[in-house]
Amino acid sequence: MTESFWTREPSPGYPRLGVADLAVDVAVVGGGITGVTAALLLKLAGKRVALLEARRIGGGVTSGTTGHLTEVIDTPYRELEKRFGADGAALVAASSRVAIEQVAELDARFETRCRFERLPGYLYSERSDDRERLDEELDCMRRAGLSVGSAEVPLPLSIPAGIRIDNQAQFHPLKYVLALAARIPGQGSYVFEQTRVHNVDEGEPCRVHTAKGPSLRAEKVLLATHSPLNQVVLQTKVAQYRSYVVSGRVEHAPHGLFWDRDDPYHYTRAYRDESGTELIVGGEDHKTGIGENDDAPFERLTAYAARLGLEQPKFRWSSQVVEPVDGLPFIGRNAGAEHVYVATGFSGNGLTFGTIAAMILKDACLGAKNPYSELYDPGRLKPFTRLSSFLAENVDYPLHLLSDALKAPTARSLDEIPKEDGRIVRVSGRRVAAFRDTGGRLHVVSPICTHLGCHVAFNAAEKSWDCPCHGSRFDVDGNVLDGPASDPLERIDLEKADGARR
């Protein structure tokens, strides 16, 4: 297993939902930065809110980020101009700036101790043939309203071309989210942990059903779960990726946020506190469940970090990144719904876009007009104008659905599975996904993803079963780690299975 540098921050803990038929104005599903910010903003506006988190507040994707707050999103501004026009690109920049200022305002207001810091960002390439592309991107950024210019990049690398972007920001994401969450309970509002939402019935009111407890009633429901619950159509517009991070103490670190133009790209920042300086380096993304699910991405990232002065990383972790097919998130009323809202597709900009999403969804619940809602509307037609991207991201589903059941098992017997490893094995005529822990005990589950039926693959770095079709992830006992799946993998009792065969 891996561990995020941020998770050293202690959480106060919140109760499970245990009250039958609780009624609130807004139910917010998902306790990351999107859900927590939206819930707090709605409470401040006078609404009764229930925030429901399947595990711990901030313990999902928010604790797996690197803490960048920036107008430099994963989709280049030259691509934004082509897809959404110059006005659309300018709206992306403006909304990102508004999100940064919202974080600054809430940090100051509630004294979150998240070490919010304004600093420049740098986009660069180590290849001289990228200079023309960077010049083009610089022009597009200027047209979109960013404060930018050509600059030398303060990294210990040979960099022929770079762009400086002024007034970006960084912070400690978990300190921030936990501090905001602490302000939600009271006056008819609640925070619930260990409360997995299984389904939502739309109505007046809506009813939110939990996996192991009572349901609650709400006039409106916000699905802020990174991968929206039970949204099959929306899943065709996004793809799930794993992104990797290493960090460790250094004597000196550069001042700024840094992104290169490699594919997959790398991103770098430093975190400074009373005990020293932590250099944080991320990248090496790949599609979830496909390609390398072992230590190779960490090894390549560690080699890259060594070039920046980080010789011995202490922490390493990976996190889920949801890529939208047209380059922008989907935020707003769910297609075909009246009272259910979604927020997904944040790419590698989850903290900035999560804050934007919270502001848009808050205004939607209050009936207020938001200047950015149309740009991020989940029902927009832009994804289908990018047919090649749409097909490329969705080809894995039919391919894996047809071929996975025909593939040879990855081990001939259970005896071949080493400790701390997982394999697909045929037992008593049935395929199973089996993991052997450090004590030698086997954990056996069905390999069939409960979302749409693809077969999972073992992720050796995270000790999880990952689905290559839509990115669902499960622990070794089959419990859901990441959606879109909402049901666990079936657990298999080997003795019963063998007895039934006989």
Side-chain angles (χ1 to χ4, degrees):
M1 296 290 290
T2 63
E3 179 186 8
S4 166
F5 169 74
W6 310 118
T7 55
R8 301 177 305 159
E9 185 66 18
S11 173
Y14 295 92
R16 288 182 172 89
L17 173 63
V19 180
D21 212 31
L22 181 70
V24 293
D25 298 316
V26 184
V28 182
V29 184
I33 191 169
T34 307
V36 169
T37 306
L40 178 59
L41 293 177
L42 285 164
K43 181 188 177 180
L44 294 174
K47 295 294 183 181
R48 296 172 304 148
V49 180
L51 176 64
L52 303 103
E53 164 56 37
R55 287 171 284 179
R56 294 290 186 186
I57 295 298
V61 175
T62 295
S63 65
T65 68
T66 51
H68 290 62
L69 290 164
T70 176
E71 299 160 289
V72 183
I73 72 168
D74 281 11
T75 305
Y77 275 87
R78 65 179 181 280
E79 291 296 326
L80 292 175
E81 276 197 5
K82 292 175 184 177
R83 299 175 194 178
F84 300 93
D87 290 344
L91 282 175
V92 172
S95 63
S96 300
R97 172 52 47 194
V98 166
I100 294 171
E101 298 309 321
Q102 176 71 92
V103 172
E105 189 271 326
L106 291 175
D107 170 52
R109 180 175 179 180
F110 296 115
E111 299 179 344
T112 71
R113 302 182 299 107
C114 71
R115 293 186 177 271
F116 177 87
E117 178 185 8
R118 298 183 189 271
L119 72 178
Y122 295 90
L123 179 65
Y124 66 94
S125 175
E126 295 184 65
R127 300 185 299 272
S128 57
D129 58 359
D130 266 348
R131 185 183 297 275
E132 185 175 338
R133 278 285 182 90
L134 282 170
D135 287 343
E136 181 183 355
E137 183 68 6
L138 177 61
D139 292 339
C140 292
M141 285 180 167
R142 281 201 180 107
R143 284 194 292 271
L146 281 72
S147 175
V148 294
S150 298
E152 292 187 3
V153 179
L155 290 177
L157 305 172
S158 177
I159 299 174
I163 299 172
R164 174 184 167 117
I165 308 97
D166 294 326
N167 201 24
Q168 307 305 288
Q170 64 181 19
F171 66 157
H172 188 305
L174 207 51
K175 283 181 181 288
Y176 176 79
V177 166
L178 291 174
L180 297 193
R183 302 286 178 159
I184 296 171
Q187 300 174 314
S189 291
Y190 309 87
V191 175
F192 299 111
E193 292 183 327
Q194 304 299 326
T195 304
R196 181 174 295 278
V197 172
H198 188 265
N199 197 15
V200 176
D201 293 333
E202 177 153 10
E204 296 182 355
C206 300
R207 188 165 289 276
V208 179
H209 300 276
T210 62
K212 296 182 179 179
S215 61
L216 62 80
R217 292 175 288 126
E219 298 302 318
K220 298 186 185 297
V221 178
L222 310 185
L223 299 179
T225 54
H226 192 63
S227 178
L229 184 72
N230 300 328
Q231 303 299 317
V232 176
V233 174
L234 191 54
Q235 289 304 322
T236 67
K237 302 180 183 181
V238 297
Q240 307 244 23
Y241 283 71
R242 296 303 289 175
S243 188
Y244 297 80
V245 187
V246 297
S247 78
R249 291 297 181 180
V250 294
E251 288 294 323
H252 304 285
H255 181 69
L257 306 176
F258 302 88
W259 310 271
D260 70 13
R261 279 186 35 83
D262 285 353
D263 185 14
Y265 78 101
H266 302 95
Y267 41 98
T268 305
R269 64 157 291 191
Y271 176 78
R272 297 172 177 86
D273 59 19
E274 297 83 357
S275 60
T277 299
E278 190 85 4
L279 187 64
I280 304 168
V281 184
E284 296 297 332
D285 302 13
H286 67 76
K287 204 164 187 180
T288 301
I290 296 176
E292 297 168 305
N293 285 308
D294 52 23
D295 284 338
F298 283 119
E299 290 169 358
R300 289 194 297 270
L301 192 57
T302 299
Y304 181 82
R307 299 176 60 210
L308 302 176
L310 177 57
E311 296 295 340
Q312 294 182 324
K314 180 179 179 181
F315 295 91
R316 67 175 198 166
W317 67 95
S318 67
S319 188
Q320 200 87 326
V321 174
V322 179
E323 295 287 351
V325 72
D326 68 350
L328 288 184
F330 301 102
I331 305 166
R333 193 193 310 271
N334 191 34
E338 288 294 325
H339 308 293
V340 178
Y341 298 80
V342 297
T344 189
F346 296 164
S347 298
N349 312 104
L351 300 175
T352 309
F353 279 138
T355 304
I356 294 170
M359 299 169 77
I360 291 173
L361 298 182
K362 180 263 294 184
D363 286 344
C365 290
L366 298 177
K369 183 174 177 59
N370 187 286
Y372 311 113
S373 59
E374 184 176 351
L375 177 69
Y376 299 112
D377 183 0
R380 66 182 184 265
L381 297 177
K382 287 292 182 182
F384 301 100
T385 66
R386 295 281 298 171
L387 184 59
S388 60
S389 296
F390 176 80
L391 294 175
E393 293 296 5
N394 285 280
V395 71
D396 297 309
Y397 172 57
L399 289 179
H400 282 277
L401 191 63
L402 292 171
S403 66
D404 283 354
L406 302 176
K407 288 181 180 177
T410 54
R412 290 174 296 181
S413 72
L414 294 170
D415 293 337
E416 290 185 3
I417 303 175
K419 291 181 179 180
E420 290 292 284
D421 202 357
R423 304 286 172 85
I424 303 296
V425 186
R426 190 177 296 278
V427 178
S428 301
R430 178 183 182 179
R431 283 175 178 262
V432 300
F435 170 81
R436 190 183 301 279
D437 63 26
T438 53
R441 186 167 69 94
L442 286 168
H443 304 249
V444 186
V445 296
S446 167
I448 301 174
C449 178
T450 56
H451 179 228
L452 290 177
C454 292
H455 282 220
V456 296
F458 189 65
N459 181 334
E462 296 291 352
K463 304 295 185 288
S464 63
W465 294 103
D466 298 357
C467 178
C469 291
H470 297 104
S472 297
R473 298 178 61 247
F474 307 85
D475 69 17
V476 295
D477 291 315
N479 301 307
V480 177
L481 296 174
D482 287 296
S486 58
D487 293 319
L489 298 177
E490 176 193 357
R491 296 191 186 186
I492 296 173
D493 185 319
L494 291 177
E495 292 185 4
K496 289 182 178 180
D498 189 52
R501 181 187 65 82
R502 289 197 299 268

